[in-house]
Amino acid sequence: MLWFAGRLHEGHTVPFDLSDRGLLLADGLFETMPCVDGHAIWADRHLARMADGAAVLGIPFDAALAAQALSALVSTDTAPGALRLTLTRGPAPRGLRLPVNPAPTLFATRAPWRADGLFQPVRLATSRIRRNSTSPTARLKTLAYLDGVMALAQAQGAGADDALMLNEAGRVACTSAGNLFVIVDGELITPPLSEGVLAGITRALLLELAARAGLVPVERPLLLADLHAARRVYTTNSLRFLTPINAVDGVPLASSLSAADEQALRALVVPPGLRAFIAA
Amino acid sequence: MLWFAGRLHEGHTVPFDLSDRGLLLADGLFETMPCVDGHAIWADRHLARMADGAAVLGIPFDAALAAQALSALVSTDTAPGALRLTLTRGPAPRGLRLPVNPAPTLFATRAPWRADGLFQPVRLATSRIRRNSTSPTARLKTLAYLDGVMALAQAQGAGADDALMLNEAGRVACTSAGNLFVIVDGELITPPLSEGVLAGITRALLLELAARAGLVPVERPLLLADLHAARRVYTTNSLRFLTPINAVDGVPLASSLSAADEQALRALVVPPGLRAFIAA
């Protein structure tokens, strides 16, 4: 299901201007989030993040129209869905130079959200592709996602489930599409945004709510050794919430967190409306 | 003018599947080249580079079909044109994971090629955005071009014409969409591909033909100081050929190359068919 040019469409094929800079130059942004029971999860935070990114890139963004797109898609079904909102700088003459009067493109899609494999531990393989903390694509959720695509493909090709991405300094940054957290003693630690990581919505939520699970939230650079020394390592994102990591490059990671403590962390980030769809 | 789905279209708007990974994830490649008098300049080299990139990314590429697209566009007019060929991994279900049976999208466009400002010296401003030599997007001409877009916009916002991009080690890499060359004594020096630069077609041509202009071609890492110490600094690309650089961050660069020597370099890279359209 697609929302495009002000209305819903079955399928994803519509008349589209192929001079769109989103398609030609990755000149745009996106957001993904679950929805259930007529409600897009943390839509306000996703719209605020897109507005922040659009301001950095200088792309006009109509947050009210974007909210309308999400509402229209949410209303089509009460079952869990995975929403994606995409904003581009729109069609323009050839070349990199910014158009003087951009006519941005906004569209959104809805696919089924699936609980399969949720919370199942994953194995990471360290990618040769590093995050570039100087790039606007590191902190913002831009369309320039090819590094993540290739890092994931290479990790899966090597028999792992996902990629561990380091930054240019060789410190731990993130997975192909998720932030990283480690629990060391009573601290819940994640790399600061300056390490070249996305300002994740679930990341922010965990930092805000960690105290409720008895943990002290900390933003601090992490080394590979910190993953091996941790009580537990997680990756987070908006559609899968909290995923434990049980190995890096074939070396198992410890898990000395109690089931109750892990449950307490999940409770912080899993939207109530989705709990009924998740096997215990 | 657009070539899409096997035929020419006026304008750029056609039925298009918005689940295309080129649009959603910058999962694809492109090439740009001039054409004139029924001939796409260095089309064989551009098609070979796209084939190389497609092999790295694992995107099926039909070079014969791409050649057909270029031919169709070239045939529409004998006047100089700027061609762009775009290949994406095509439509796919949501997520980063590669589709098992990709159905790649191939399209091409033609715009007027303009000689305005050709060979006019440009001023560079050093970008805060660094090239990432570990990324497949550094050496390949992928759709993930947002770093170049933003680097150019920031340079122009600061009153310069283009951005000077350094790599993660702080060495000189390229401009927003061109390779860099310096002439020092009798050497024509450009950074090796391992410095995080695109494998430019004009770059390769200059290295192959430098001896004809009495210069020794060299691939060697360059520092900012090398630009200031050079007899002449150039940026190269397929549509603008050879552009002198006369300042970096407001500091003028020397030019101790004779007009005849500069002319000899131009002669190496400007396609004969276009010479009649370029003011002396």
Side-chain angles (χ1 to χ4, degrees):
Chain A
M1 180 73 74
L2 167 71
W3 183 98
F4 178 71
R7 64 182 188 83
L8 292 173
H9 305 257
E10 290 293 333
H12 294 116
T13 302
V14 289
F16 189 74
D17 188 331
L18 298 198
S19 72
D20 194 287
R21 290 173 61 107
L23 173 62
L24 300 183
L25 298 167
D27 194 0
L29 296 158
F30 72 107
E31 293 290 331
T32 58
M33 73 204 83
C35 67
V36 65
D37 278 340
H39 183 60
I41 308 298
W42 296 116
D44 51 346
R45 293 186 183 224
H46 286 281
L47 292 173
R49 182 168 67 178
M50 183 168 270
D52 172 50
V56 173
L57 300 184
I59 302 178
F61 174 54
D62 184 341
L65 186 64
Q68 204 176 304
L70 296 179
S71 286
L73 287 167
V74 161
S75 305
T76 58
D77 195 341
T78 57
L83 303 175
R84 173 177 164 134
L85 180 67
T86 303
L87 171 72
T88 83
R89 205 182 299 271
R94 64 162 300 283
L96 300 193
R97 191 181 291 258
L98 301 189
V100 178
N101 294 306
T105 299
L106 186 71
F107 65 95
T109 54
R110 175 184 178 138
W113 178 86
R114 298 191 189 289
D116 327 15
L118 206 67
F119 311 131
Q120 293 301 307
V122 297
R123 296 153 300 160
L124 303 186
T126 304
S127 178
R128 292 184 303 274
I129 304 172
R130 299 285 179 99
R131 296 285 290 192
N132 176 5
S133 68
T134 70
S135 167
T137 66
R139 188 177 68 83
L140 306 179
K141 201 163 177 73
T142 78
L143 299 176
Y145 227 79
L146 188 57
D147 280 359
V149 167
M150 294 310 295
L152 177 66
Q154 289 162 6
Q156 293 183 333
D161 303 300
D162 200 350
L164 172 65
M165 302 191 75
L166 310 179
N167 65 16
E168 64 268 62
R171 292 189 295 268
V172 165
C174 52
T175 63
S176 68
N179 290 107
L180 278 171
F181 281 86
V182 302
I183 297 177
V184 177
D185 301 326
E187 291 184 332
L188 181 68
I189 314 169
T190 194
L193 299 184
S194 56
E195 292 288 279
V197 304
L198 181 75
I201 303 296
T202 305
R203 174 184 181 280
L205 206 59
L206 259 188
L207 289 173
E208 287 166 33
L209 303 179
R212 291 198 199 165
L215 294 166
V216 179
V218 178
E219 292 181 83
R220 187 163 70 213
L222 290 173
L223 303 177
L224 257 172
D226 293 318
L227 271 52
H228 291 285
R231 294 171 58 203
R232 194 62 154 156
V233 182
Y234 292 103
T235 175
T236 59
N237 78 23
S238 290
L239 286 167
R240 311 296 291 168
F241 316 120
L242 189 73
T243 304
I245 295 164
N246 64 0
V248 173
D249 297 325
V251 180
L253 296 187
S255 169
S256 63
L257 206 67
S258 72
D261 285 348
E262 182 143 327
Q263 200 58 51
L265 277 174
R266 281 186 206 173
L268 300 180
V269 291
V270 175
L274 278 175
R275 286 180 195 153
F277 297 89
I278 300 169
Chain B
M1 180 74 74
L2 167 71
W3 183 98
F4 178 71
R7 64 181 189 84
L8 293 173
H9 305 258
E10 290 294 334
H12 295 116
T13 302
V14 290
F16 190 73
D17 188 331
L18 298 198
S19 72
D20 194 287
R21 289 173 61 106
L23 173 61
L24 300 184
L25 298 168
D27 194 1
L29 296 159
F30 72 105
E31 293 290 332
T32 58
M33 73 203 83
C35 67
V36 65
D37 279 341
H39 183 62
I41 309 298
W42 297 117
D44 51 347
R45 294 188 183 224
H46 286 281
L47 292 173
R49 182 169 67 178
M50 185 169 268
D52 171 49
V56 172
L57 300 185
I59 301 178
F61 174 54
D62 183 341
L65 185 64
Q68 203 177 305
L70 296 179
S71 287
L73 287 167
V74 160
S75 305
T76 57
D77 194 341
T78 57
L83 302 176
R84 172 175 165 136
L85 181 66
T86 303
L87 172 72
T88 83
R89 204 182 301 271
R94 65 163 300 282
L96 300 193
R97 191 181 289 258
L98 301 188
V100 178
N101 294 306
T105 299
L106 186 71
F107 65 93
T109 55
R110 175 184 179 138
W113 178 85
R114 299 191 188 289
D116 329 14
L118 208 66
F119 310 133
Q120 293 301 307
V122 297
R123 298 153 298 162
L124 303 186
T126 304
S127 179
R128 291 183 304 272
I129 304 172
R130 299 285 179 97
R131 296 285 289 191
N132 176 4
S133 68
T134 69
S135 168
T137 67
R139 188 176 68 84
L140 307 178
K141 201 163 175 74
T142 78
L143 299 177
Y145 227 78
L146 188 57
D147 280 359
V149 167
M150 292 311 295
L152 176 65
Q154 288 163 5
Q156 293 183 333
D161 303 300
D162 200 349
L164 171 64
M165 301 190 76
L166 311 179
N167 65 17
E168 64 268 61
R171 293 189 296 268
V172 165
C174 53
T175 63
S176 68
N179 290 106
L180 278 170
F181 282 87
V182 303
I183 298 178
V184 176
D185 301 327
E187 291 184 333
L188 182 67
I189 314 168
T190 195
L193 299 184
S194 56
E195 291 288 278
V197 305
L198 182 76
I201 302 297
T202 305
R203 175 185 181 278
L205 207 59
L206 259 188
L207 290 172
E208 286 167 35
L209 302 179
R212 291 198 199 165
L215 294 167
V216 179
V218 179
E219 292 180 84
R220 187 161 71 213
L222 291 173
L223 303 178
L224 257 172
D226 294 318
L227 270 53
H228 291 285
R231 293 170 59 203
R232 194 62 154 156
V233 182
Y234 291 104
T235 176
T236 60
N237 79 24
S238 291
L239 286 167
R240 311 296 292 169
F241 317 120
L242 189 73
T243 304
I245 294 164
N246 64 0
V248 173
D249 298 324
V251 179
L253 296 186
S255 169
S256 63
L257 205 68
S258 72
D261 285 348
E262 181 143 327
Q263 199 58 51
L265 277 174
R266 281 187 205 173
L268 300 181
V269 291
V270 175
L274 278 176
R275 285 178 196 155
F277 297 91
I278 299 171

